Amino acid sequence: MRGSAYVPVSAAVALLVSSSTLFFTFTCPWLAQHVSLSLPSCVGILFLFVMANFTMATLMDAGVFPRANEDEDKDDDFRAPLYKNVEVRGVQTTQMLPLQRL
């Protein structure tokens, strides 16, 4: 990874950790006293999961998604028409075709 790629990651980590620190410092004691003593521990576990997922997403290689060929793109079954035009008493309307089962 280039040096410039660390700037957004560092900013996101700093924002996440600083806002969580402020929450645990000022809000969690009040929540533990007035709401429930188990609430800060649940939020702490959730914070650990968020940090673990953020770390995994930062360090994991996304890989390369190859582009589809022209022939492969044209053979897509999802492009089949779902509607057809029907004439009812001289008025052109659109009728939805039934879905086919595989």
Side-chain angles (χ1 to χ4, degrees):
M1 221 163 49
R2 295 186 333 250
S4 62
Y6 290 114
V7 174
V9 171
S10 301
V13 168
L15 184 63
L16 181 63
V17 170
S18 63
S19 62
S20 297
T21 302
L22 290 173
F23 175 78
F24 284 115
T25 303
F26 296 110
T27 308
C28 268
W30 184 88
L31 288 173
Q33 186 178 15
H34 289 89
V35 179
S36 174
L37 194 58
S38 64
L39 192 63
S41 61
C42 292
V43 173
I45 291 170
L46 184 66
F47 171 73
L48 292 176
F49 279 121
V50 167
M51 283 302 295
N53 282 320
F54 185 79
T55 304
M56 284 176 29
T58 302
L59 299 176
M60 197 176 286
D61 185 19
V64 177
F65 296 107
R67 292 183 181 252
N69 298 338
E70 286 291 325
D71 297 335
E72 183 182 350
D73 195 27
K74 290 179 182 176
D75 294 337
D76 195 5
D77 290 337
F78 293 111
R79 294 183 183 214
L82 296 175
Y83 300 95
K84 69 176 181 177
N85 291 331
V86 179
E87 189 172 323
V88 178
R89 296 184 186 169
V91 178
Q92 199 75 354
T93 60
T94 305
Q95 177 186 10
M96 185 173 171
L97 296 175
L99 294 176
Q100 296 177 357
R101 293 188 179 171
L102 296 176

